[in-house]
Amino acid sequence: MPDSKLEQFIKNSQAVENENFCLSKNDLLKSLDEVPFVHLPSFEQYKRCEIDKNGISTACIEADWGVANSGTVIIDSSKEEIRLASSLAEHLQVVLLKSKLVNTIFDIKDYMKNQTEKDNAYIAFITGASRTADIERILTIGVHGPVKMTVFIIKEL
Amino acid sequence: MNSFKNKINSKLSDEILYNNLKNFAASYKKSRSAALNGLDFENLRMEINNKRTYSPEYLETLFQRFKDNAEKSGARVFRARTGTDACRYITEVCKTHETEYIVKSKSMTSEEIRLNDYLEKENLKPVETDLGEWILQIAGEHPSHMVMPAIHKSRKQVAEIFSRFTGKEIDKDNIDEMVKTAREFLRDYYFKARVGITGANVAVAQTGAIATVTNEGNARLTSTVPPVHIVLLGYEKLVEDFDTAFDIINLLPKSATGQNISTYVTWMKGCYPSANNQTDIKEVHYVFLDNGRLAFFQHPEFREALKCIRCGSCANICPPYEMVGGHVFGHIYIGAIGLILTALYDGEAKAKDILKLCIGCKACSSICPAGIDLQSIISKLKVIIGEEYGINPVKKTIYSSVIPNSGVFSTALKTASYFQKPLIAKDGRHLKSIPFMPKSKDFRTLPAVASSFFTEKFKKNYKRQQDFKKKVLFYPGCAVEYFYPEMGESLVKILNKAGVKVDIPGKPVCCGLPAIASGDGKDGRKTIHRNLKQMGNPADYDSYLVLCPSCGMAVKEEFPEYTADNPDLYKLSTEIAQKTLSLGMFLKKENISLKVKNGVKVTYHTPCHQARGLGSSASEMLKEILGNNFVELEDSDVCCGFGGTYSIDFAGISSGILNKKIENIRKTEAEIVVTDCPGCIMQIEGGLMKTGIDIKVMHLSQFIDEYIEI
Ligand code: SF4
Ligand code: SF4
């Protein structure tokens, strides 16, 4: 089963209502026109905008890892703008290279150790849009942060 | 005590609370087991438990490592001995930064030290950002659940609270709109506040990183937007490395809500960039709270409680909690762990009433992902506090003077059996009514005291048995001895047919559990010691059998514990403990073949102390014998609400739990409910009879005797 990690990731990501798309690098770059905040080191694509309490419409950010057994993406958010963009965008788009898929969070123990051995670090594990079930346990999306989340998986990388 | 009883009664009549908790419990069990599917839960939780057994010295090492790492990265670390120390330090930081508002996220520890009250007295304005906690904050209330703080509220009540707070009309059915309202208000506060306070779910000593877990994402904003971040945490959050930290992060959401993983797990280390701070760098403070914790790291049992990862599952499956909710069942920390932490952190005086609410079903111990045996700790605390505050004087007399002396006990019950005569119902086995029993406690038809006790009957009818190859000692316990001798007779008949000789103890003696469960350890010990003298020589018996799993559990757990200081008795009790089995377990062990005589539709209630004391259930066996005539009972192993004198002391809770059991029994449409515990029979049969439901309740021994061929 060559694609099982990918399939598992998508299944678990869908389970938390994320949209998932497998696409090519070129298609991805075409989709960025309308996006005010972009941070994609692998493609050297960066775009910045002002982020205040009104939030922003969309942020597109590359993840360091994707975790198959939970549909989680791992985003290094040590830069403040990434923290703000990923928490204050209405729609969070995450770009994940297929080669960066691991099975479980236990596979990134070394990464976590290395990152947090630095003087400062802020690493976010994100699995879906902001949600709450605090009122009568009815699931409601978008209580503080993103209302929608999409994962773009770049298959060729 | 009266105001405590009133509090219980008002919660028992709170319909919103009742329905919310009942529905939640049902869906929780399903999603939890789905989330744990494919994982070796027992193994995982034991691993977490073992890895986190810290000596005080090791904990100090972990702390120093964390501190060094954090300070190297520019963060400040403060050790608060008491809650007030922590409040004072935090207030100081807030004042230095001249903040009016303070946003807060995910900190039960701040509830523990009543931080908000302290800040408000200092004219600071803390704002809870977790939706549930914010609802309660603006309503002037406190959380009633660890994971779902506002589970006791309905959407209608929330709409009213929001309308009052915002001055806007809010649609009472539109939860989306309520959430949007909260989002708008809270978004503002993140930007107004100069200080954010969060808790931490784990603190990794290896590198000095902490993690916070949320679904709403509020901890992310709280730690990102304001220029100052204060982390308030207890020492118990320290772990060695990411391996242990991930173990916790992995099991926590599965246990808490049945989620695979929490939406946001945020790892923070040191002082990361912050444009809102003049220095462009976040100012970070770690406040480590002692407040009694460090002392308990020395205690062999109590330190277990410090392994809690705050998942809330011990509340989620606790039957009495499900009846009364967290405003009664615990103080700040709620559920089973709440009872314990209340005793440890807030003192015995605060804990003494609420500890009694535990019915001893052990459900919490079997579900805790940190591997804490909560029920044992609660039972120990009951004994400690019982010694300190005394127990009910009537009970004390019974436990000290009546129960340990079999002569006195038998005579007392003989007298009762004589005086009850006018009260006996037509069936000859139950009481028509019970004089002086207030209506609120009269929810069951109770059995009459037997006219002739088991030991007499045994001596008369079964003294001479064939000398079979196998021999067991049957321990009847009080219930069979005085109320249900026919169960014991069935056992003897079955075993004789199967070629097993049955002996009984020289004199009938109570197992001591009732005294211990009521907090009377001294008399429990006395009773146990007397008991052991009556139980023969283990070398002579293949097994020791019980028909009451609570007696069985007492023999297995309490007997060794309460003889630990007496080498001879300890040796004897451990030998007996190893040989103690229920009837079903014995039949299985001896491979005795059973065949059903005729088709009868049967369901099975698994007694608490059988499932979680003896670690077995007869339901598999019955399914095998009965095939399609066996119907699975929903929540078979959930407590029936009996708990001995609990069902009189807390009749409202007991009958509430029983009603849920009866509802499930009705759904099976079975003709007979079989179970394996005389106490459960007293409760379930009593409840069914009182409500006029015509379903027979039988002990496994009677059922086999009547319906099965050996
Ligand atoms: S004691 Fe165990 S079950 Fe209860 S909240 Fe803590 S970790 Fe969860
Ligand atoms: S033993 Fe049962 S009643 Fe007691 S706290 Fe645990 S779950 Fe609740």
Side-chain angles (χ1 to χ4, degrees):
Chain A
M1 277 195 291
D3 265 353
S4 68
K5 239 193 282 185
L6 179 63
E7 279 163 19
Q8 241 202 72
F9 177 87
I10 293 177
K11 190 185 99 210
N12 288 314
S13 177
Q14 275 169 352
V16 290
E17 292 95 26
N18 288 345
E19 283 181 340
N20 297 270
F21 297 100
C22 291
L23 71 180
S24 69
K25 177 184 162 189
N26 286 341
D27 287 340
L28 170 73
L29 297 182
K30 268 186 257 158
S31 77
L32 296 177
D33 286 352
E34 306 280 297
V35 181
F37 184 97
V38 177
H39 184 82
L40 304 174
S42 294
F43 308 105
E44 289 178 20
Q45 295 287 321
Y46 303 99
K47 220 195 276 179
R48 295 294 181 256
C49 62
E50 199 185 321
I51 308 169
D52 58 20
K53 68 174 188 177
N54 297 316
I56 55 174
S57 63
T58 318
C60 184
I61 301 172
E62 184 176 333
D64 283 3
W65 304 100
V67 181
N69 87 333
S70 58
T72 304
V73 295
I74 314 282
I75 297 181
D76 179 351
S77 315
S78 303
K79 291 193 171 70
E80 188 178 28
E81 54 203 19
I82 295 183
R83 262 177 283 149
L84 289 170
S86 61
S87 2
L88 293 171
E90 296 292 301
H91 180 187
L92 176 62
Q93 300 180 340
V94 177
V95 172
L96 174 65
L97 310 187
K98 198 191 136 207
S99 57
K100 293 291 192 161
L101 272 171
V102 296
N103 285 314
T104 74
I105 51 172
F106 292 91
D107 295 326
I108 58 156
K109 269 185 317 205
D110 290 341
Y111 163 86
M112 289 302 293
K113 181 165 170 278
N114 294 337
Q115 291 288 328
T116 57
E117 259 166 2
K118 297 178 189 163
D119 262 353
N120 66 71
Y122 197 109
I123 314 281
F125 292 11
I126 300 180
T127 317
S130 162
R131 65 196 54 222
T132 185
D134 269 349
I135 304 176
E136 283 192 16
R137 290 187 313 105
I138 306 287
L139 183 67
T140 316
I141 303 291
V143 49
H144 291 284
V147 178
K148 183 177 170 193
M149 178 166 160
T150 306
V151 185
F152 295 124
I153 301 158
I154 312 298
K155 268 196 149 176
E156 74 248 34
L157 291 170
Chain B
M1 189 72 185
N2 257 344
S3 77
F4 179 57
K5 289 247 155 146
N6 289 343
K7 227 163 123 191
I8 294 174
N9 287 335
S10 95
K11 294 297 169 190
L12 285 174
S13 50
D14 181 342
E15 237 173 88
I16 293 171
L17 178 74
Y18 178 85
N19 285 321
N20 285 4
L21 287 177
K22 184 168 167 235
N23 295 338
F24 169 64
S27 66
Y28 166 74
K29 279 179 209 154
K30 284 193 198 100
S31 41
R32 174 182 174 272
S33 71
L36 288 171
N37 188 15
L39 293 180
D40 184 348
F41 178 70
E42 282 310 317
N43 211 356
L44 286 174
R45 70 184 191 137
M46 281 311 131
E47 233 170 74
I48 291 192
N49 188 292
N50 290 336
K51 281 191 202 163
R52 295 173 69 228
T53 306
Y54 306 144
S55 67
E57 296 73 37
Y58 185 63
L59 185 79
E60 185 62 25
T61 315
L62 285 182
F63 170 75
Q64 288 301 342
R65 262 181 96 184
F66 182 91
K67 180 170 179 269
D68 288 347
N69 282 318
E71 284 176 345
K72 246 191 287 162
S73 310
R76 286 165 234 188
V77 178
F78 177 73
R79 307 185 83 160
R81 200 177 56 78
T82 64
T84 319
D85 290 346
C87 289
R88 215 179 283 138
Y89 180 85
I90 292 169
T91 308
E92 205 56 35
V93 175
C94 295
K95 289 202 163 159
T96 309
H97 290 276
E98 295 179 350
T99 188
E100 183 180 4
Y101 293 99
I102 299 149
V103 275
K104 288 181 66 207
S105 156
K106 276 284 144 178
S107 180
M108 234 181 281
T109 317
S110 83
E111 279 278 327
E112 175 188 326
I113 62 172
R114 299 285 192 210
L115 178 62
N116 287 1
D117 293 348
Y118 196 98
L119 292 172
E120 277 161 13
K121 273 201 209 103
E122 298 283 331
N123 290 321
L124 295 160
K125 297 184 180 125
V127 178
E128 296 295 342
T129 60
D130 173 89
L131 177 62
E133 285 176 46
W134 188 58
I135 294 170
L136 298 178
Q137 189 184 26
I138 62 180
E141 284 183 35
H142 290 285
S144 75
H145 189 282
M146 278 198 256
V147 182
M148 283 152 302
I151 192 164
H152 56 287
K153 291 259 174 263
S154 68
R155 66 184 80 188
K156 204 167 141 233
Q157 290 172 322
V158 175
E160 277 160 19
I161 294 167
F162 279 9
S163 296
R164 225 180 305 133
F165 181 78
T166 62
K168 279 196 308 194
E169 195 55 42
I170 298 208
D171 181 351
K172 289 187 172 22
D173 278 315
N174 193 341
I175 290 179
D176 268 332
E177 189 194 333
M178 295 177 214
V179 172
K180 277 208 191 80
T181 308
R183 178 183 169 105
E184 266 166 45
F185 268 85
L186 289 169
R187 182 66 67 88
D188 246 12
Y189 289 124
Y190 292 118
F191 286 84
K192 280 194 217 157
R194 309 276 306 153
V195 176
I197 301 178
T198 70
N201 291 83
V202 289
V204 185
Q206 187 183 35
T207 65
I210 61 147
T212 63
V213 168
T214 72
N215 284 319
E216 300 185 359
N218 50 329
R220 278 154 55 82
L221 285 160
T222 304
S223 61
T224 294
V225 184
V228 180
H229 180 197
I230 303 174
V231 184
L232 172 65
L233 73 172
Y235 288 91
E236 72 278 11
K237 297 288 163 58
L238 285 161
V239 297
E240 162 98 46
D241 52 19
F242 283 98
D243 216 14
T244 316
F246 281 0
D247 278 339
I248 294 173
I249 298 300
N250 182 30
L251 229 43
L252 173 64
K254 297 180 174 74
S255 295
T257 50
Q259 267 172 294
N260 195 353
I261 188 165
S262 312
T263 308
Y264 299 105
V265 184
T266 308
W267 301 85
M268 292 165 261
K269 153 75 184 282
C271 302
Y272 25 83
S274 165
N276 275 336
N277 195 308
Q278 284 164 346
T279 62
D280 280 339
I281 296 172
K282 173 85 67 177
E283 181 177 318
V284 176
H285 299 258
Y286 291 102
V287 179
F288 276 86
L289 181 69
D290 175 355
N291 207 24
R293 292 164 167 74
L294 292 179
F296 289 117
F297 273 98
Q298 316 249 13
H299 192 287
E301 267 126 356
F302 296 160
R303 75 173 173 201
E304 282 290 300
L306 297 167
K307 294 178 181 171
C308 170
I309 60 172
R310 309 272 185 268
C311 72
S313 38
C314 55
N316 296 349
I317 41 71
C318 173
Y321 170 88
E322 200 183 305
M323 292 304 305
V324 294
H327 285 152
V328 175
F329 208 93
H331 168 75
I332 302 195
Y333 297 103
I334 56 91
I337 189 69
L339 301 187
I340 297 169
L341 294 183
T342 303
L344 299 191
Y345 296 164
D346 300 288
E348 298 170 357
K350 271 237 162 67
K352 70 179 179 12
D353 286 340
I354 58 174
L355 276 168
K356 294 185 186 140
L357 290 173
C358 167
I359 197 167
C361 72
K362 275 182 175 277
C364 51
S365 297
S366 72
I367 205 170
C368 173
I372 307 169
D373 186 354
L374 295 140
Q375 189 274 337
S376 295
I377 304 178
I378 292 172
S379 149
K380 220 148 269 144
L381 286 166
K382 276 186 184 172
V383 170
I384 294 172
I385 289 178
E387 274 164 18
E388 179 91 352
Y389 289 88
I391 61 166
N392 175 324
V394 178
K395 280 192 194 170
K396 176 77 193 166
T397 313
I398 295 176
Y399 296 136
S400 65
S401 314
V402 182
I403 292 185
N405 306 315
S406 60
V408 181
F409 196 17
S410 303
T411 314
L413 283 161
K414 263 272 148 20
T415 318
S417 112
Y418 177 77
F419 280 110
Q420 75 185 356
K421 274 193 181 133
L423 305 172
I424 291 181
K426 272 203 214 95
D427 71 358
R429 295 176 45 238
H430 292 88
L431 300 175
K432 277 189 296 216
S433 65
I434 302 148
F436 314 119
M437 181 73 96
K439 211 164 164 261
S440 62
K441 294 188 188 285
D442 190 17
F443 61 95
R444 295 169 297 187
T445 300
L446 287 174
V449 179
S451 54
S452 110
F453 297 161
F454 175 72
T455 303
E456 295 167 51
K457 283 195 159 170
F458 181 86
K459 286 187 178 147
K460 205 163 108 207
N461 303 332
Y462 308 96
K463 188 79 201 148
R464 287 230 205 96
Q465 295 168 47
Q466 242 177 287
D467 254 328
F468 295 115
K469 269 215 233 79
K470 299 255 166 205
K471 195 160 91 171
V472 297
L473 187 121
F474 165 53
Y475 178 80
C478 304
V480 170
E481 176 67 21
Y482 303 115
F483 291 94
Y484 299 115
E486 62 277 14
M487 293 174 190
E489 286 189 274
S490 290
L491 173 127
V492 183
K493 281 190 255 167
I494 298 167
L495 291 182
N496 282 176
K497 269 192 234 164
V500 180
K501 185 174 177 209
V502 181
D503 274 357
I504 60 166
K507 270 189 205 154
V509 187
C510 165
C511 67
L513 200 63
I516 294 170
S518 296
D520 186 352
K522 228 163 90 209
D523 289 312
R525 175 186 309 270
K526 238 198 283 172
T527 311
I528 286 172
H529 285 206
R530 288 202 188 175
N531 233 314
L532 281 163
K533 302 209 167 79
Q534 307 293 333
M535 293 182 74
N537 179 359
D540 293 342
Y541 296 107
D542 290 286
S543 295
Y544 281 75
L545 297 191
V546 288
L547 289 181
C548 170
S550 302
C551 296
M553 192 181 80
V555 173
K556 278 178 135 20
E557 291 175 9
E558 318 296 341
F559 279 31
E561 193 183 321
Y562 281 83
T563 52
D565 51 359
N566 180 327
D568 287 346
L569 284 182
Y570 181 74
K571 183 164 171 282
L572 178 64
S573 69
T574 43
E575 276 172 17
I576 294 176
Q578 275 160 17
K579 291 194 163 187
T580 300
L581 298 172
S582 71
L583 174 62
M585 291 161 91
F586 178 76
L587 294 174
K588 197 165 154 221
K589 178 177 147 259
E590 299 297 328
N591 240 333
I592 293 165
S593 86
L594 306 169
K595 236 173 53 216
V596 68
K597 276 190 234 166
N598 52 16
V600 53
K601 206 166 164 192
V602 173
T603 191
Y604 184 74
H605 160 71
T606 309
C608 297
H609 293 163
Q610 183 175 61
R612 295 174 291 274
L614 302 177
S616 111
S617 162
S619 78
E620 280 306 307
M621 181 179 114
L622 285 172
K623 204 188 295 173
E624 231 169 79
I625 310 171
L626 292 157
N628 286 340
N629 274 324
F630 182 78
V631 209
E632 211 69 69
L633 175 66
E634 194 181 323
D635 287 339
S636 170
D637 64 353
V638 172
C639 183
C640 66
F642 179 63
T645 53
Y646 187 99
S647 59
I648 300 165
D649 293 341
F650 300 105
I653 298 177
S654 171
S655 65
I657 298 174
L658 173 61
N659 286 339
K660 292 179 190 172
K661 181 61 69 184
I662 289 181
E663 203 33 59
N664 286 329
I665 289 173
R666 281 176 90 135
K667 275 192 266 173
T668 65
E669 294 180 1
E671 297 154 71
I672 302 175
V673 192
V674 176
T675 185
D676 225 340
C677 168
C680 300
I681 289 182
M682 207 176 274
Q683 176 88 341
I684 297 173
E685 183 186 61
L688 289 170
M689 286 175 80
K690 193 89 188 175
T691 28
I693 300 170
D694 187 22
I695 300 175
K696 210 155 139 191
V697 184
M698 294 180 97
H699 193 285
L700 183 71
S701 64
Q702 297 168 291
F703 179 75
I704 294 179
D705 186 20
E706 198 168 313
Y707 288 92
I708 305 284
E709 260 175 76
I710 305 211

